Amino acid sequence: MSSAAMKSARNALVLIAGLLAAWQALYWFVGDAALRPPLVTVQYTARLMTTDAFWMHLSETLQAFAVALSIAVAAGLVIGFGLGFHKLSAQVFEPMLVAVYSIPKITLYPILLLAFGLGMPAKIAFGAIHGIIPVALFTLNAVRNIKPILVKTGRVHGLGPFEMIRSILFPAALPEIFTGFRVGFALTLIGTLLGEMFAAQRGLGYLLMTAIGLHNVELIMAVTLLLVVFAATVSAGLLAIDRWLHRHI
Amino acid sequence: MSQAHVSLRGVTKVFPSSSGGQGLHALGPIDLDLQQGEFFAVVGPSGCGKSTLLELIAGLTSATEGTVEFEGRRIEGDIPDGIGVVFQEDACFPWLSVEDNIAFGLRKIAVAHEEKRRRIGGVLDLMGLGDFARSYPAQLSGGMRQRVCIARTLVIEPRLILLDEPFGALDQQTRLLMGDEVLKLWRQTGATVFLITHALDEAAMLADRIAVMSARPGQLIDVVETHWPAERDSHIVERLEFGAVTARLWKSLREESLKTMAKTSRGPADRT
């Protein structure tokens, strides 16, 4: 176990070193107009993190993202469990979900803006619509794939409906639901940031767009670095939990 | 003779058809008495309603007509205390350790914590799972997982054990060895055992009495007594009489199996 952990830590370090080297090499190739080297970026990021404005933008983004993700997960679970337990509804609605999911969601943004106005609610709505469907589809499959023998075993042991859900259905479906959560997390983050980039006055997405407008390459690099580090760290953590669950369940 | 441990009277099962037609007559009428402490097996062609018969006794489904009684009380679609069921499929909960899987059997049983620990420890030893208490099912072989399921059933100290092709998914050698263990458990617990199987040799080796079921609708067409001693194991297969028992079972079953084969090869028309 510990040697496996060391191995994966070593792999991660090699990957990071490789990315930094590629970044530096790319900088030498394209120059100052489009990039800053890693060291300069890290220094600028450290300075950026001492400003109040940065924390205001960050907290705005985190709030929007947290609410959007909560909505996506809650709605996705309800839809997924609902359809998972009702075969006919699943047959009717699953193809629709898949079809809706394939719509480029950015095309819906103008409508959302008109519906919710500029600001937090539109961002949240845009983030949430990215996450709901994957969470719902994964949950639907998870519920559908529960082995009937496990439910039968529960009945043999005299479990009531509530205990059946708590002790058998939920744990049996958990690994796949968690995979849905992981995918939903990544997509909701994309949705939230996209929402901030096009119509907002605050947030990291807005900060990024402003930096592009001002051709502030340091700022672009710093925000991108922070977002990449955040997304990669959380995703790696979620993936580790996901794998653990799939191994054990 | 004393009162039967399990008693079925005129039991039939008809599954209603979804199109509102006649429905599927799966089973019966069946009359059957199981004596306290006997090892009873049922063999029959596939699809003859063997598993339905077991589910009726387990209270997992209710009879369309007739009555099922366990220890003098009627079973009507609710699961009575004192009955343990082991299925063919792997029914271990993969998210629970071996120990917790076994403890699951006790969650509805009102016994003190110490008594629970004692019983769990007891069945872990009995089933040779002592070293695997903290393992998870995914780390075990198919045979070991089936032991966990048997242990989970034994821990409730059932007076009637229902086995639905419990070794169907195991290889032949493992089946013989598991058969030996089931015989040992049967002697130690003194429980009545009701075994469903399609394997004639398995039935002939394990049971005191073996019922042969007809093709659907399943009815009991023959009951064979083996007269084996209680102290027996898989060496019973070496006996001359073992061949005779298996031969008689096959004689009763051959025609029924042919009927089933003819039906299934005629296509799905008669399935509904």
Side-chain angles (χ1 to χ4, degrees):
Chain A
M1 221 27 212
S2 68
S3 82
M6 263 168 66
K7 211 168 160 187
S8 75
R10 192 198 61 200
N11 290 348
L13 282 176
V14 170
L15 181 68
I16 291 169
L19 285 173
L20 287 174
W23 179 359
Q24 182 69 47
L26 191 65
Y27 169 72
W28 283 326
F29 187 67
V30 299
D32 260 339
L35 278 182
R36 290 292 179 274
L39 187 62
V40 175
T41 304
V42 171
Q43 282 167 346
Y44 185 88
T45 307
R47 270 209 312 284
L48 180 68
M49 288 172 79
T50 60
T51 63
D52 289 342
F54 168 77
W55 293 103
M56 187 271 289
H57 288 301
L58 179 67
S59 97
E60 172 88 4
T61 300
L62 285 181
Q63 269 180 46
F65 175 59
V67 178
L69 186 61
S70 310
I71 293 173
V73 170
L77 284 177
V78 169
I79 296 170
F81 269 101
L83 297 186
F85 286 130
H86 199 263
K87 217 172 175 181
L88 182 65
S89 310
Q91 280 167 353
V92 173
F93 289 107
E94 194 189 2
M96 293 190 199
L97 282 177
V98 174
V100 170
Y101 186 55
S102 63
I103 298 172
K105 276 154 287 292
I106 195 77
T107 55
L108 300 175
Y109 199 39
I111 299 170
L112 284 179
L113 281 175
L114 290 174
F116 290 98
L118 292 179
M120 194 63 119
K123 276 197 265 184
I124 291 172
F126 196 58
I129 61 167
H130 279 77
I132 288 177
I133 294 178
V135 174
L137 288 176
F138 273 99
T139 306
L140 167 59
N141 264 316
V143 173
R144 209 166 25 193
N145 291 340
I146 293 172
K147 282 165 45 187
I149 186 71
L150 299 181
V151 178
K152 215 168 170 185
T153 305
R155 289 186 56 205
V156 167
H157 288 96
L159 263 55
F162 175 71
E163 276 183 300
M164 191 71 99
I165 291 175
R166 192 175 61 101
S167 308
I168 294 183
L169 299 179
F170 187 71
L174 187 63
E176 206 152 336
I177 291 177
F178 195 84
T179 306
F181 174 72
R182 192 166 60 76
V183 175
F185 175 90
L187 292 172
T188 306
L189 183 61
I190 292 174
T192 311
L193 288 169
L194 272 178
E196 287 183 340
M197 287 172 87
F198 293 109
Q201 279 94 41
R202 290 174 183 192
L204 292 181
Y206 165 76
L207 194 60
L208 194 58
M209 276 323 257
T210 321
I212 293 171
L214 299 171
H215 195 67
N216 185 344
V217 181
E218 282 98 349
L219 188 53
I220 295 173
M221 297 291 297
V223 174
T224 309
L225 177 68
L226 285 170
L227 287 172
V228 167
V229 170
F230 172 68
T233 311
V234 177
S235 291
L238 293 178
L239 188 63
I241 299 173
D242 198 344
R243 288 201 178 137
W244 186 88
L245 286 171
H246 273 95
R247 253 202 323 275
H248 284 86
I249 299 185
Chain B
M1 190 174 278
S2 64
Q3 189 192 25
H5 200 207
V6 179
S7 159
L8 286 81
R9 288 287 167 273
V11 170
T12 54
K13 180 73 184 179
V14 179
F15 289 106
S17 86
S18 48
S19 52
Q22 227 189 348
L24 176 74
H25 186 182
L27 192 71
I30 284 182
D31 293 290
L32 175 66
D33 282 321
L34 302 189
Q35 301 311 318
Q36 173 83 49
E38 83 169 321
F39 200 129
F40 193 91
V42 176
V43 293
S46 51
C48 72
K50 300 187 293 269
S51 291
T52 307
L53 179 62
L54 180 134
E55 291 188 356
L56 282 164
I57 300 175
L60 285 168
T61 180
S62 43
T64 312
E65 268 172 56
T67 58
V68 183
E69 282 183 4
F70 170 59
E71 296 177 344
R73 275 172 299 132
R74 242 183 110 163
I75 298 172
E76 273 175 306
D78 56 305
I79 291 95
D81 284 342
I83 298 186
V85 191
V86 180
F87 298 103
Q88 172 181 3
E89 292 162 87
D90 174 16
C92 287
F93 299 121
W95 57 90
L96 296 178
S97 67
V98 167
E99 204 173 11
D100 291 339
N101 257 289
I102 296 171
F104 189 92
L106 289 173
R107 53 185 293 151
K108 283 284 177 179
I109 313 252
V111 289
H113 184 71
E114 286 75 44
E115 167 68 5
K116 284 191 180 179
R117 303 295 339 148
R118 188 194 64 77
R119 282 203 200 177
I120 292 166
V123 292
L124 278 172
D125 287 343
L126 192 64
M127 296 308 296
L129 291 165
D131 295 337
F132 301 95
R134 304 211 178 278
S135 305
Y136 282 83
Q139 299 165 299
L140 305 177
S141 66
M144 289 300 265
R145 283 205 289 271
Q146 194 57 294
R147 277 166 199 249
V148 176
C149 292
I150 295 174
R152 188 172 61 198
T153 301
L154 289 179
V155 79
I156 64 174
E157 298 184 353
R159 301 182 294 282
L160 171 64
I161 302 175
L162 307 174
L163 304 171
D164 190 358
E165 306 212 12
F167 314 133
L170 306 178
D171 60 77
Q172 182 69 22
Q173 293 90 306
T174 314
R175 291 168 73 137
L176 285 170
L177 294 176
M178 292 289 277
D180 280 346
E181 293 194 30
V182 165
L183 283 170
K184 209 166 76 190
L185 295 171
W186 169 62
R187 281 193 299 269
Q188 282 178 5
T189 60
T192 309
V193 176
F194 181 83
L195 168 77
I196 296 283
T197 180
H198 61 262
L200 302 184
D201 55 341
E202 196 171 281
M205 166 183 145
L206 295 172
D208 296 316
R209 286 196 298 157
I210 303 153
V212 179
M213 257 173 107
S214 66
R216 199 173 62 216
Q219 283 171 316
L220 303 184
I221 48 172
D222 194 8
V223 176
V224 181
E225 288 197 39
T226 56
H227 303 292
W228 304 139
E231 289 290 330
R232 58 179 180 260
D233 60 22
S234 49
H235 288 293
I236 212 99
V237 301
E238 296 158 13
R239 292 207 194 181
L240 225 53
E241 303 97 293
F242 180 83
V245 169
T246 327
R248 170 144 170 219
L249 291 175
W250 179 232
K251 198 165 158 244
S252 308
L253 201 54
R254 189 171 180 274
E255 210 148 304
E256 298 303 323
S257 301
L258 283 172
K259 276 188 212 163
T260 309
M261 253 174 83
K263 270 188 193 171
T264 43
S265 58
R266 231 190 294 141
D270 93 326
R271 290 179 69 91
T272 46

